[in-house]
Amino acid sequence: MLPAGEISEAPVTPCSENDDQKKNLKEKSDINIAALVENEQVCEGTDNGDLPSCVSAFIEKEVGNDLKSLKKLDKLIEQMTESKMQLEEQVLTVSSEIPKRIHSALKNAEESKQFLNQFLEQETHLFSSINSHLLTAQPWMEDLGAMINQIEEIERHLAYLKWISQIEELSDNIQQYLMTNNVPEAASTLVSMAELDIKLQESSCTHLLGFMRATVKFWHKILKDKLTSDFEEILAQLHWPFITPPQSQTVGISRPASAPEIYSNLETLFCQLLKLQTSDELFTEPKQLPEKYSLPASPSVILPIQIMLSPLQKRFRYHFRGSRQTNVISKPEWYLAQVLLWIGNHTQFLDEKIQPILDKVGSSVNARLEFSRGLMMLVLEKLAADIPCLLYDDSLFCHLVDEVLLFERELHSAHGYPSTFANCMHILSEETCFQRWLTVERKFALQKMDSMLSSEAAWISQYKDITDVDEMKVPDCAETFMTLLLVITDRYKNLPTASRKLQFLELQKDLVDDFRIRLTQVMKEETRASLGFRYCAILNAVNYISTVLADWADNVFFLQLQQAALEVFAENNTLSKLQLGQLASMESSVFDDMINLLERLKHDMLTRQVDHVFREVKDAAKLYKKERWLSLPSQSEQAVMSLSSSACPLLLTLRDRLLQLEQQLCFSLFKVFWQMLVEKLDIYIYQEIILANHFNEGGAAQLHFDMTRNLFPLFSHYCKRPENYFKHVKEACILLNLNVGSALLLRDVLQSTSGQPPATAALNEVGIYKLAQQDVEILLNLRTNWPNTGK
């Protein structure tokens, strides 16, 4: 710290100085602070940071070696003095303020302590006062609690009596309305009473609930019986139900003038019965089949439609239950057709007369679908009763399934019955029935496969005489098999759950694999005649099945099954993450395994055919290989170039086999066949004929003529530029037929060029793109018409 004398002598800026002085002082202070900061930076830059070093560094910086800078010393001394004064002033200010703050903090702490003590005293006093008050008020609280309990009990009794009074009031109102024959108001009042009954269901007052339910049931029965009787009378006047088709229906109305009145009464009674729906649901539980059938939850059929269905239900039970002659277990089509007939007969009336009534009262019910839903319950009950009786009779069970599927198709397509409603497929999806269905489906499919493969026309195309239709040249057995798979798909596509559909999909995949194995067995019997008609028919069949399965993989139905399978596989961890990813990204399909096996079989069969034809071609080319290419006359010595006689067997064999397989294989297969054959033929001619011989000018010209004018044109019917498939042969002919000057120049370029690009450019210039530089040098060395250079 500075001495006290220095602190007292520190100048203090007077309070009366003007703004200019303050501004100047501030600027000087900024300059001084900047100088101090700079000095600190200089000091920090020294190694030890001690005061002499700091001073030396500061003088070195400000003065340096320039003696003329000494005139700055006065100014520096003045600045340093001013900075010293300001620092002393700041120290004085801080030393005077800190004790004041400490004193203020201590004072505040003392005051807080006093307040806390006062609060503690008040808290103790209040605590004792509260305890004293509670002791005094305890008897009052006990008496008051007893009174409150009595009041609450009285309120409960009062509320109980109010509920009873309200029920009795509603009951009296219904009675009065019925006495005055005001049925609509009575029905509306019953709706209010039923709503109260629903509200009271959470109450623990069992006697009150019983009284409410008994009252609602009493009046509901009276109103329902009365309205049902009147409604049935109106329906009888309309000759309901309609047994005959709509075209021959005649409404039994004696006087045409009374028709509007009848329909008006029909609407009135229908609306009144509709009001009883709420109370009817309290007493009437809808018929439910056992849980094993997994029917979707659905509300009961509305009351007026139930009454309209009643005579049809009686007819159904009369004819198709018990010992009636119409109840024949082997004839499910009888009752299925009858239900469809009833739905069709009543559709027009329901749409034109009943639906407007429902729309008028704001109901979302569809009259036709509600009517169909009621009849469907009869069918489901009948199926559930009949299926166990014929489960192990294959022919009867298969017939039942066929008829049910036809019924379902008609019901959905012609009558618009939603698949989300309870239907026959839920009955067929029951575990025991479904497994039997799968077994029977597999059995009959295998029998069908046996018959189709043993048929005399199994390998003959149905459309062999129709060129436009017979592009795939599909044998009858393959087309019949794919039709069988398509029919199976149509049979199970409306099953209610994805798990059942996936089981059928596995059946289809098993059938495809079984058919592939059968085709393989037949193919092995025909291996020795790999170019024969049956072998080609098998190949066409394999290609057709693979193509159709690939098309099915993009079908929306199978894409949905793929998504369902993905979820099942993910839950069971039956596939790797890579396979799951491929399924999820649609890179693979549910038929990929089958398609891969079929494609492998197709490739093997094509390879066998190519090898067979190639062996024949090699045998036919033996004379052509021995041609004396060194001694053939030049082109100038011949009047007209002609095909080498030794090449005729080769070309004739090739031509005959191409024509034969073009007729027997479908276009896509034949295209793969000739391209595979050309690839082998190109390598064979290049290696076994060209590289194995030397050529004079005439030999090279003859080879070029044989290839470009005879061999290549054989394939011009299948592509525009067949020479592009014989790259080795084509480029070899180019090199062998180059004029001597160009050949010499090319050989010199190849021998003198160490880098690749110049050689490649030179080769490309003469039309060589496929052959490597070493191959070109070998081919040039096969020429014998080089000029004698004396080497």
Side-chain angles (χ1 to χ4, degrees), residues 273-463:
L273 283 168
L274 205 57
K275 290 181 180 179
L276 300 185
Q277 184 68 30
T278 304
S279 56
D280 190 69
E281 291 177 354
L282 295 176
F283 310 109
T284 306
E285 294 185 2
K287 291 184 179 180
Q288 295 289 344
L289 291 174
E291 293 183 359
K292 65 180 181 179
Y293 295 111
S294 302
L295 295 178
S298 59
S300 58
V301 178
I302 59 175
L303 184 56
I305 298 293
Q306 288 182 29
I307 299 171
M308 297 172 74
L309 284 168
S310 180
L312 295 175
Q313 291 170 342
K314 291 179 182 178
R315 284 174 178 270
F316 187 91
R317 294 188 178 97
Y318 177 79
H319 287 291
F320 305 113
R321 296 282 178 88
S323 58
R324 304 297 301 178
Q325 292 181 352
T326 49
N327 183 26
V328 183
I329 197 169
S330 61
K331 297 292 183 181
E333 62 269 24
W334 287 358
Y335 65 83
L336 294 174
Q338 186 62 68
V339 168
L340 288 175
L341 182 63
W342 285 344
I343 293 175
N345 290 348
H346 297 88
T347 294
Q348 182 177 353
F349 180 81
L350 291 168
D351 287 343
E352 295 179 358
K353 303 300 180 183
I354 303 302
Q355 189 60 49
I357 300 174
L358 290 169
D359 295 339
K360 189 174 181 180
V361 299
S363 174
S364 60
V365 174
N366 185 299
R368 177 162 43 86
L369 294 181
E370 196 76 353
F371 183 80
S372 302
R373 192 159 65 90
L375 290 178
M376 273 300 298
M377 286 307 299
L378 296 173
V379 175
L380 299 184
E381 292 171 2
K382 176 67 174 171
L383 280 176
D386 284 357
I387 285 178
C389 301
L390 47 80
L391 202 57
Y392 298 101
D393 189 318
D394 290 348
S395 59
L396 289 181
F397 181 78
C398 189
H399 177 64
L400 172 69
V401 171
D402 290 340
E403 292 299 329
V404 166
L405 293 174
L406 289 174
F407 170 78
E408 282 287 320
R409 186 178 296 114
E410 179 73 14
L411 186 66
H412 292 298
S413 61
H415 301 291
Y417 190 80
S419 58
T420 54
F421 285 7
N423 57 63
C424 300
M425 303 306 287
H426 290 92
I427 304 298
L428 295 181
S429 296
E430 188 270 327
E431 182 64 27
T432 305
C433 179
F434 183 77
Q435 293 304 326
R436 187 61 185 162
W437 183 11
L438 276 178
T439 303
V440 171
E441 201 78 48
R442 184 188 302 274
K443 174 184 175 181
F444 282 98
L446 293 175
Q447 291 178 359
K448 182 69 174 177
M449 288 163 58
D450 290 336
S451 64
M452 71 176 70
L453 287 172
S454 59
S455 171
E456 294 180 358
W459 307 108
I460 301 174
S461 173
Q462 297 179 5
Y463 315 104

Side-chain angles (χ1 to χ4, degrees), residues 163-174:
W163 277 105
I164 295 176
S165 174
Q166 191 172 0
I167 296 169
E168 291 179 342
E169 182 181 355
L170 292 173
S171 180
D172 292 341
N173 291 339
I174 294 175

Side-chain angles (χ1 to χ4, degrees), residues 702-716:
Q702 185 64 48
L703 176 69
H704 184 267
F705 181 82
D706 293 343
M707 297 294 106
T708 60
R709 300 294 296 276
N710 294 278
L711 176 62
F712 297 171
L714 280 179
F715 298 90
S716 60

Side-chain angles (χ1 to χ4, degrees), residues 1 6 34 69 73 287 372 392 395 448 538 551 602:
M1 291 186 61
E6 294 183 2
S69 300
L73 289 178
K287 291 184 179 180
S372 302
Y392 298 101
S395 59
K448 182 69 174 177
I538 296 170
D551 291 340
K602 181 176 76 174

Side-chain angles (χ1 to χ4, degrees), residues 4 11 14 69 138 160 177 189 203 215 261 299 385 417 425 430 469 551 569 589 630 655 671 674 688 694 745 773:
S69 300
Q138 185 65 32
Y160 196 92
Y177 289 136
T189 307
S203 173
T215 306
E261 181 182 353
Y417 190 80
M425 303 306 287
E430 188 270 327
V469 180
D551 291 340
F569 294 149
S589 70
L630 277 172
R655 183 202 63 181
K671 181 179 179 181
W674 73 256
E688 301 296 329
H694 286 75
L745 182 60
Q773 181 175 339

